[in-house]
Amino acid sequence: MNGAETLLRTLLAGGVDTCFMNPGTSEMHFVAALDKVPGMRSVLGLFEGAVTGMADGYGRIAGRPAATLLHLGPGLANGLANLHNARRAGTPLINIVGDHATGHLRYDAPLASDIAGFARPVSHWVHSAVSADTVGSDTARAISAARAAPGQIATLILPADVAWGESEGPADPLPHQALASVPTRTISRVAERLQSATNPAILLRGEALTAFGIETAQRIAATTGAALLADTFAPRQRRGAPFADVRTIPYFAEQILEFLAPFDLLVLVGAKPPVSFFAYPDKASWCVPDHTRLARLALAHEDACTALSELADHLGAKAVAKPDVPPPTYSRDRLDQYSVGAIIGALMPEDCIISEEAATNGPGIALGTQGACPHDYLRLTGGSIGQALPAATGAAIAAPDRKVICASGDGGAMYTLQALWTQARERLDVTTIIFANRSYAILNVEMQRMGFTEPGPVALSMLDLHDPAIDWCKLARGMGVEASTATTVAEFESQFEDAMRSRGPRLIEVVV
Amino acid sequence: MNGAETLLRTLLAGGVDTCFMNPGTSEMHFVAALDKVPGMRSVLGLFEGAVTGMADGYGRIAGRPAATLLHLGPGLANGLANLHNARRAGTPLINIVGDHATGHLRYDAPLASDIAGFARPVSHWVHSAVSADTVGSDTARAISAARAAPGQIATLILPADVAWGESEGPADPLPHQALASVPTRTISRVAERLQSATNPAILLRGEALTAFGIETAQRIAATTGAALLADTFAPRQRRGAPFADVRTIPYFAEQILEFLAPFDLLVLVGAKPPVSFFAYPDKASWCVPDHTRLARLALAHEDACTALSELADHLGAKAVAKPDVPPPTYSRDRLDQYSVGAIIGALMPEDCIISEEAATNGPGIALGTQGACPHDYLRLTGGSIGQALPAATGAAIAAPDRKVICASGDGGAMYTLQALWTQARERLDVTTIIFANRSYAILNVEMQRMGFTEPGPVALSMLDLHDPAIDWCKLARGMGVEASTATTVAEFESQFEDAMRSRGPRLIEVVV
């Protein structure tokens, strides 16, 4: 058995059975091993930014790591931006990065580069395998690192001679660092704080945003009067009518400060204190009001759900009625984020997955689906645009029986549009909605917020995508995905209804 | 004057007047300054891999650095693969990478990352500006670093508060390390070696592959009987009938060894000794035959043209007749790389630029244009696919009066297809030819060469792009570029002739 087969068998033994890939020559032994060792779902992406984004989406939905297979330093480099998002999401993920044979490195061939250097900024764990004999153990360590709570990025560099060298076989799985217990003293301290606060809020992220986490938090809220808040960039959030009392913290610094102003206590459950996404000359970075005290119930690597349970019990909290949500109101005369969001909310199937990176058009989607049937919502965790399409693709691989709805701005979608090809190839049940405003619209807002009230023509042209207008139907069809354009509410409703009734990849360009 | 304006004015004072960009919020002060300071050609790309590839193509043709403007760590990360190619090309290039304000960094906002860590593997020089007062000097140092021979990658990180802070104004240009002189003793030593060799060859790269370099090498060849060779992955090579005696070293290790077998001396002029691109279990990495001695006339940072001149004078070499090249033969019955290459060679205009990354279809392009009118040829220097379309785009910005022809495989073109949008926006005179074999064809070859003579269905499917077939006409039109498909030689000839007669971006999908 060679090193590649050993690696593959160790991945499978460790429960890693899906690999998103864009291989090259140095990975041919791994690719060849896929036929020798059954059981690895192998998904090809035509660009590594799509590949890593798929692995992120997969990990968020499956709750366990996928592997990626990437071609040397530049292949990894192309995937780094979505690995940055995955790192911010706390997604478990294992990169296998092929390298030149160890003896070949000294010749400085054209593709030689500092792979570990590329990997470090996004990886919690990096290792370059040195021998086929130990690559099984290295792989087991990589899986263990990736599965450490709440989820980490592990990068294993695989020199070609390690892949083709003879080995003694796969390694057994290793234990991993599970979610840590929250100490009892923390539970009682937070309980005291909640009971003595006038107007407390509980900010949820990670496991705390599962159905169980939110339901437990709802019991606490009912008994303490606390408001329930969700992190602005939660990796995954259970949403819909039963969870509609969880309000998401807004995006801009001044909005956050205003939003949090009523609260004298903010209990953090798997979340960090809210800060401004960017810095501005005259705006705050730290977005917790001075009069708001912070209390930490659980950090990201701690067992937030159990802590919430214990806190609820400690407070004697009882089961509560579900919130009552009126359906969203919108104008049928205007195709915009609010009509689109309301129609999505009305027509989407139960337990679907929404991958949303609609930027300036995001609020309408969130609003329209707030009172809809229960679903999971994936957000842009690291701010690196180009996440939504690949993440939707990976989510559909992880959950083949669930409808996936992807809502993206046109600017962001252009970064990793290659994900559409994989959706067509794998016949994935993803409906992609592109908001075609033909602009980096958020940057027009940011330009104003930076104090440039009358930007000049050159600056404005750098934010403008009208010339030429991108035709998303052509792009989608060029990659084998059925597509249509909606310019009215009725058109969108009819196209989206059709997409919900059928299976398979589909794109709707919404001209706004 | 703020730091951003200071930076911009210092770039312009240092002769850097073109900036390829994909800005975000943290770069808004730089973008706003573009209207205050005239003279910076600002070119928007919709993905950073396209942006850095454009800057590479620009630098190779202009011979001086362009700047890029990139959005924090992930923006830089998306551009790294083509920066790897630019580094291998010795292209002068300056990255300006926006960062959070220095005071904002401690809040670990979603987009915060180790920017310098991302930059180091591809950058010869990395610096993070600390103050608006010194950002002018930092910029002058970055230009100086980028212009150091033969051309380097300089990355200047620009925190937002440095961009918006008040400064005292731009810095004067600094000197840079020009091409180093080759010592006289090296000239005479190489002359002796050439005179005593039975069958010498001279391997050219960099400046040695300009018209002057090759013509001087031709004089040396005529007097010493040396063969003239070009590096397999030369960043830029003057080609066409007058230079047709320069033969390019082939790609595969065993081919290189066979190709070099006749020579007992290999004189390196700006080139490194040939090595295998990849390593294989049973093939050589070092591709210089045992009986071939090496002599170095000039290293990459040395003045190869002057050294060639001095060597020619030392040898008493006279001007020589130009080589006589028969037109290529090809079958008009078969649309393949040879007919396409011959038609390109026959119809392309004088002094055009060819950006070629056609992989398995590359040899036909090189052969068909070998005896054509004089032109510049840009190759994939670092092996990171997705260079050709952006490099063609940047070359067209650098040389607006020259026709640019881009030949790419479909696999490679998918990595940075966003470059087509910039071609449309800037009305660039680029004709793109996509070889649509719907396969990572080179990997099928490599699979065999790795010893897998009968790869299984999973492995084969990872190299196959047939399902769905990518429709390049739709993709191009989706980004505003006129496109057509050729399935016969006559169709290609007619479409290519039309493209040569008109100006502006155009794509021809060649189904092979």
Side-chain angles (χ1 to χ4, degrees):
Chain A
M1 182 183 306
N2 67 20
E5 187 179 334
T6 298
L7 192 160
L8 197 50
R9 287 189 187 278
T10 309
L11 285 176
L12 288 164
V16 181
D17 61 5
T18 303
C19 183
F20 299 92
M21 61 177 73
N22 186 259
T25 300
S26 40
E27 294 77 42
M28 283 299 105
H29 284 80
F30 186 103
V31 172
L34 294 170
D35 283 295
K36 238 179 141 180
V37 184
M40 181 61 77
R41 171 84 184 265
S42 303
V43 181
L44 180 63
L46 297 189
F47 169 66
E48 296 89 347
V51 167
T52 54
M54 291 179 212
D56 181 16
Y58 175 96
R60 292 195 207 179
I61 292 300
R64 59 201 172 85
T68 68
L69 180 68
L70 305 169
H71 185 45
L72 297 105
L76 170 61
N78 278 332
L80 289 172
N82 269 329
L83 290 173
H84 167 87
N85 287 328
R87 179 175 72 91
R88 289 290 181 187
T91 302
L93 198 157
I94 299 160
N95 300 303
I96 310 293
V97 186
D99 194 5
H100 285 313
T102 48
H104 193 64
L105 280 173
R106 71 188 179 101
Y107 298 109
D108 194 34
L111 264 170
S113 68
D114 178 7
I115 302 180
F118 283 131
R120 269 183 210 107
V122 297
S123 303
H124 299 84
W125 184 94
V126 182
H127 178 72
S128 188
V130 294
S131 150
D133 279 335
T134 46
V135 73
S137 307
D138 293 339
T139 308
R141 289 195 297 137
I143 299 169
S144 171
R147 300 193 74 152
Q152 298 197 135
I153 312 294
T155 301
L156 176 61
I157 301 166
L158 179 67
D161 55 337
V162 173
W164 73 54
E166 270 304 298
S167 108
E168 292 185 7
D172 292 332
L174 293 170
H176 63 269
Q177 182 63 56
L179 288 164
S181 298
V182 172
T184 313
R185 64 178 180 281
T186 302
I187 308 288
S188 44
R189 198 186 308 137
V190 171
E192 280 163 32
R193 293 270 205 104
L194 273 169
Q195 285 166 324
S196 63
T198 307
N199 202 9
I202 302 173
L203 174 54
L204 309 170
R205 196 178 198 263
E207 292 294 309
L209 283 173
T210 56
F212 177 83
I214 298 171
E215 284 161 0
T216 312
Q218 285 172 329
R219 288 167 53 207
I220 297 167
T223 202
T224 60
L228 296 181
L229 312 180
D231 188 85
T232 319
F233 297 100
R236 175 178 173 173
Q237 179 180 352
R238 194 67 178 169
R239 291 177 83 249
F243 315 101
D245 51 347
V246 179
R247 286 183 293 150
T248 301
I249 293 189
Y251 176 75
F252 290 122
E254 58 275 24
Q255 295 172 336
I256 304 176
L257 281 163
E258 193 187 329
F259 182 85
L260 294 180
F263 305 115
D264 62 339
L265 174 68
L266 186 62
V267 177
L268 302 170
V269 191
K272 296 193 295 184
V275 297
S276 177
F277 199 84
F278 290 107
Y280 304 85
D282 54 354
K283 294 183 169 67
S285 284
W286 178 253
C287 294
V288 181
D290 289 343
H291 60 270
T292 308
R293 290 180 68 193
L294 290 174
R296 283 176 183 78
L297 179 66
L299 298 171
H301 69 284
E302 291 177 328
D303 187 349
C305 283
T306 303
L308 283 167
S309 266
E310 290 174 4
L311 179 60
D313 293 347
H314 189 101
L315 292 163
K318 300 279 188 299
V320 289
K322 293 294 175 189
D324 191 33
V325 198
T329 56
Y330 65 98
S331 163
R332 286 197 62 89
D333 295 336
R334 194 176 152 78
L335 184 67
D336 62 11
Q337 58 180 302
Y338 300 102
S339 50
V340 167
I343 289 166
I344 292 174
L347 299 178
M348 71 190 207
E350 173 122 10
D351 204 27
C352 66
I353 298 164
I354 300 179
S355 172
E356 188 257 298
E357 183 192 324
T360 48
N361 287 299
I365 306 298
L367 189 66
T369 54
Q370 191 177 16
C373 54
H375 60 278
D376 283 312
Y377 203 93
L378 313 182
R379 285 200 177 83
L380 179 59
T381 47
S384 179
I385 62 177
Q387 175 196 279
L389 275 64
T393 310
I397 295 277
D401 298 330
R402 298 172 68 181
K403 178 70 88 176
V404 179
I405 298 164
C406 173
S408 176
D410 50 358
M414 276 303 284
Y415 284 67
T416 48
L417 68 166
Q418 300 92 341
L420 292 172
W421 184 85
T422 300
Q423 291 178 12
R425 177 171 154 110
E426 300 286 340
R427 277 79 173 161
L428 301 178
D429 195 16
V430 181
T431 298
T432 302
I433 296 156
I434 303 286
F435 284 95
N437 58 15
R438 289 146 190 179
S439 170
Y440 288 130
I442 184 75
L443 295 185
N444 282 292
V445 179
E446 294 285 27
M447 185 64 96
Q448 303 286 327
R449 298 181 74 248
M450 281 291 179
F452 301 103
T453 48
E454 291 183 16
V458 181
L460 287 176
S461 77
M462 291 299 117
L463 318 181
D464 186 82
L465 313 184
H466 273 91
D467 179 18
I470 296 163
D471 184 328
W472 277 96
C473 284
K474 291 203 176 86
L475 293 181
R477 290 180 195 139
M479 287 179 277
V481 170
E482 193 189 333
S484 54
T485 298
T487 56
T488 65
V489 172
E491 282 174 4
F492 177 74
E493 188 168 48
S494 150
Q495 292 168 16
F496 187 74
E497 195 172 10
D498 185 54
M500 291 304 102
R501 261 203 306 255
S502 48
R503 281 185 60 85
R506 170 76 188 257
L507 182 140
I508 303 172
E509 179 185 50
V510 173
V511 179
V512 287
Chain B
M1 182 182 308
N2 67 20
E5 186 179 337
T6 298
L7 193 161
L8 196 51
R9 288 189 186 277
T10 308
L11 285 177
L12 288 165
V16 181
D17 61 6
T18 304
C19 184
F20 299 92
M21 61 177 74
N22 187 259
T25 300
S26 39
E27 293 77 41
M28 283 297 105
H29 284 80
F30 186 103
V31 172
L34 294 169
D35 283 293
K36 238 182 142 179
V37 183
M40 182 60 77
R41 172 83 184 264
S42 303
V43 181
L44 180 63
L46 297 190
F47 169 66
E48 296 88 348
V51 167
T52 56
M54 291 180 212
D56 181 16
Y58 175 96
R60 292 196 207 179
I61 293 300
R64 60 201 172 84
T68 67
L69 180 68
L70 305 169
H71 185 46
L72 295 107
L76 170 61
N78 278 333
L80 289 172
N82 269 329
L83 291 173
H84 168 86
N85 287 327
R87 179 175 72 93
R88 288 290 180 187
T91 302
L93 198 158
I94 300 160
N95 300 303
I96 310 294
V97 185
D99 194 5
H100 285 313
T102 49
H104 193 64
L105 280 173
R106 73 188 178 101
Y107 298 109
D108 193 35
L111 264 170
S113 68
D114 178 7
I115 301 181
F118 282 131
R120 270 183 209 108
V122 297
S123 303
H124 299 84
W125 185 93
V126 182
H127 178 72
S128 189
V130 294
S131 150
D133 279 335
T134 47
V135 73
S137 306
D138 292 338
T139 307
R141 289 195 298 137
I143 299 169
S144 172
R147 301 193 73 152
Q152 298 196 136
I153 313 294
T155 301
L156 176 61
I157 301 165
L158 178 67
D161 54 337
V162 172
W164 74 53
E166 270 304 298
S167 108
E168 292 185 5
D172 293 331
L174 293 171
H176 64 269
Q177 182 62 56
L179 289 165
S181 297
V182 172
T184 312
R185 63 177 181 282
T186 302
I187 308 290
S188 45
R189 198 188 305 137
V190 171
E192 280 163 32
R193 294 269 203 107
L194 274 170
Q195 285 166 324
S196 64
T198 307
N199 203 9
I202 302 173
L203 175 53
L204 309 171
R205 196 178 197 264
E207 291 294 308
L209 282 174
T210 56
F212 178 82
I214 298 172
E215 284 160 1
T216 313
Q218 285 170 328
R219 288 167 55 208
I220 297 167
T223 203
T224 60
L228 296 181
L229 311 180
D231 188 86
T232 318
F233 297 100
R236 174 179 173 174
Q237 180 181 352
R238 193 67 177 169
R239 290 179 82 250
F243 315 101
D245 51 346
V246 179
R247 287 183 292 150
T248 301
I249 293 188
Y251 175 75
F252 289 122
E254 59 274 24
Q255 295 171 336
I256 304 176
L257 281 163
E258 193 187 329
F259 182 84
L260 295 179
F263 306 115
D264 61 338
L265 175 69
L266 188 61
V267 177
L268 303 170
V269 191
K272 295 194 294 183
V275 297
S276 176
F277 199 85
F278 289 107
Y280 304 84
D282 55 354
K283 293 182 171 67
S285 283
W286 178 253
C287 294
V288 181
D290 289 343
H291 60 271
T292 307
R293 291 180 65 192
L294 291 174
R296 285 178 181 79
L297 179 66
L299 298 171
H301 70 285
E302 292 177 326
D303 186 350
C305 284
T306 302
L308 283 167
S309 265
E310 290 174 4
L311 179 60
D313 293 346
H314 189 98
L315 292 164
K318 302 279 186 299
V320 290
K322 292 295 177 190
D324 191 34
V325 199
T329 56
Y330 65 98
S331 163
R332 288 195 63 88
D333 295 336
R334 193 176 153 79
L335 184 67
D336 62 10
Q337 58 179 303
Y338 300 102
S339 50
V340 166
I343 290 166
I344 293 174
L347 299 178
M348 71 191 207
E350 174 123 8
D351 206 27
C352 66
I353 297 164
I354 300 179
S355 172
E356 189 257 297
E357 184 191 322
T360 49
N361 288 298
I365 306 298
L367 189 67
T369 54
Q370 191 178 15
C373 55
H375 60 279
D376 284 311
Y377 203 95
L378 313 182
R379 284 199 178 84
L380 179 60
T381 47
S384 178
I385 62 177
Q387 175 196 280
L389 275 65
T393 310
I397 295 278
D401 298 330
R402 298 171 68 182
K403 176 71 87 177
V404 178
I405 297 163
C406 173
S408 176
D410 50 358
M414 276 303 285
Y415 284 66
T416 48
L417 69 165
Q418 301 91 342
L420 293 171
W421 184 85
T422 300
Q423 291 179 13
R425 176 171 155 111
E426 300 286 340
R427 278 76 171 163
L428 301 179
D429 195 15
V430 181
T431 298
T432 302
I433 295 156
I434 303 286
F435 284 94
N437 58 15
R438 289 145 191 179
S439 169
Y440 288 131
I442 185 74
L443 295 185
N444 283 292
V445 180
E446 296 282 30
M447 185 64 96
Q448 301 288 325
R449 298 182 73 249
M450 282 291 180
F452 300 104
T453 47
E454 291 182 18
V458 180
L460 286 176
S461 77
M462 291 299 118
L463 319 181
D464 187 82
L465 313 184
H466 274 91
D467 179 17
I470 296 164
D471 184 328
W472 278 96
C473 283
K474 292 203 177 86
L475 292 182
R477 289 180 195 139
M479 288 179 277
V481 170
E482 194 190 331
S484 54
T485 298
T487 57
T488 66
V489 172
E491 282 173 5
F492 177 73
E493 188 168 48
S494 150
Q495 291 168 16
F496 187 73
E497 194 172 10
D498 184 57
M500 291 303 101
R501 262 202 306 257
S502 49
R503 281 185 61 85
R506 170 76 186 258
L507 182 140
I508 303 173
E509 179 185 48
V510 173
V511 179
V512 288

